[in-house]
């Protein structure tokens, strides 16, 4: 699966403003917390780094990342981060892989920390996990995580530029913030 994801995402997006329903609000919300450490998991082109202090971007495939690695095997200490950003990254593979990634997010996030999520919820690409609101609520209940925002549908304001590799992914996503 990593090889296929590398083909699709080796060039991270360079358009932070394509998600007007969450990007600016999320940045302001995170900065108001004055976090000691923020992990952008699956950071792509590492766009949030210029807007959020103390951010480390991790990605398995893009050269802009500060750290190369997998979300299911994070190279960070237990309870070491205040915030995890997962904008489209905990989005691929089996239920077992998603759970392994969520286990790692829980392990590295301090109690009371936050996890910001944006996921595909309506797609036709076989690599994507079948996220929906019910799944987000079930996971929150199983892990005793609380919603600070969402889950809610958000929309991007641009057209997909990589139709040849990712298919028609539409303009809507689910977005939420978990308190861990």
């Amino acid at each position: 699966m990593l090889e296929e994801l590398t083909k699709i995402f080796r060039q991270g997006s360079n358009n932070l403003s394509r998600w007007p329903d969450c990007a600016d609000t999320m940045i302001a919300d995170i900065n108001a917390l004055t976090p000691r450490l923020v992990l952008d998991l699956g950071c792509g082109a590492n766009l949030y780094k210029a807007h959020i202090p103390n951010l480390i971007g991790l990605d398995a495939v893009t050269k802009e990342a500060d750290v190369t690695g997998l979300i299911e095997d994070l190279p960070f200490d237990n309870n070491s981060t205040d915030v995890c950003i997962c904008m489209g990254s905990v989005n691929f593979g089996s239920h077992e892989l998603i759970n392994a990634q969520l286990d790692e997010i829980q392990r590295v996030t301090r109690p009371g920390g936050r996890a910001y999520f944006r996921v595909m919820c309506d797609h036709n690409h076989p690599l994507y996990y079948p996220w929906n609101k019910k799944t987000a609520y079930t996971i929150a209940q199983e892990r005793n995580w609380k919603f600070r925002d969402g889950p809610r549908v958000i929309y991007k304001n641009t057209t997909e530029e990589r139709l040849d590799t990712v298919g028609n992914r539409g303009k809507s996503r689910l977005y939420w913030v978990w308190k861990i």
Side-chain angles (χ1 to χ4, degrees), residues 15-96:
N15 184 355
L16 188 63
S17 64
R18 69 186 176 147
W19 296 104
D21 294 337
C22 70
D24 292 338
T25 305
M26 181 188 77
I27 290 167
D29 191 39
I30 292 170
N31 286 337
L33 297 171
T34 59
R36 289 175 277 176
L37 178 61
V38 175
L39 298 179
D40 187 353
L41 304 176
C43 68
N46 215 355
L47 297 177
Y48 294 110
K49 188 163 188 78
H51 303 278
I52 300 172
N54 305 318
L55 183 141
I56 295 174
L58 174 134
D59 202 283
V61 301
T62 60
K63 66 183 184 299
E64 296 90 351
D66 300 307
V67 176
T68 300
L70 300 172
I71 298 169
E72 61 272 22
D73 188 24
L74 294 173
F76 301 97
D77 293 336
N78 295 353
N79 302 316
S80 60
T81 187
D82 300 294
V83 174
C84 288
I85 299 172
C86 307
M87 296 288 108
S89 54
V90 180
N91 216 13
F92 306 96
S94 66
H95 184 70
E96 292 75 24

Side-chain angles (χ1 to χ4, degrees), residues 84-119:
C84 288
I85 299 172
C86 307
M87 296 288 108
S89 54
V90 180
N91 216 13
F92 306 96
S94 66
H95 184 70
E96 292 75 24
L97 178 59
I98 297 296
N99 267 329
Q101 293 172 339
L102 294 172
D103 287 345
E104 281 292 276
I105 290 166
Q106 186 164 10
R107 180 185 67 76
V108 301
T109 304
R110 290 184 181 100
R114 295 183 189 170
Y116 292 76
F117 270 73
R118 186 186 70 230
V119 299

Side-chain angles (χ1 to χ4, degrees), residues 21 121 133 150-155 171-176:
D21 294 337
C121 53
K133 285 183 180 181
R152 60 187 167 93
V153 177
I154 62 168
Y155 300 91
K171 289 189 172 198
S172 66
R173 304 289 186 275
L174 277 180
Y175 172 82
W176 66 84

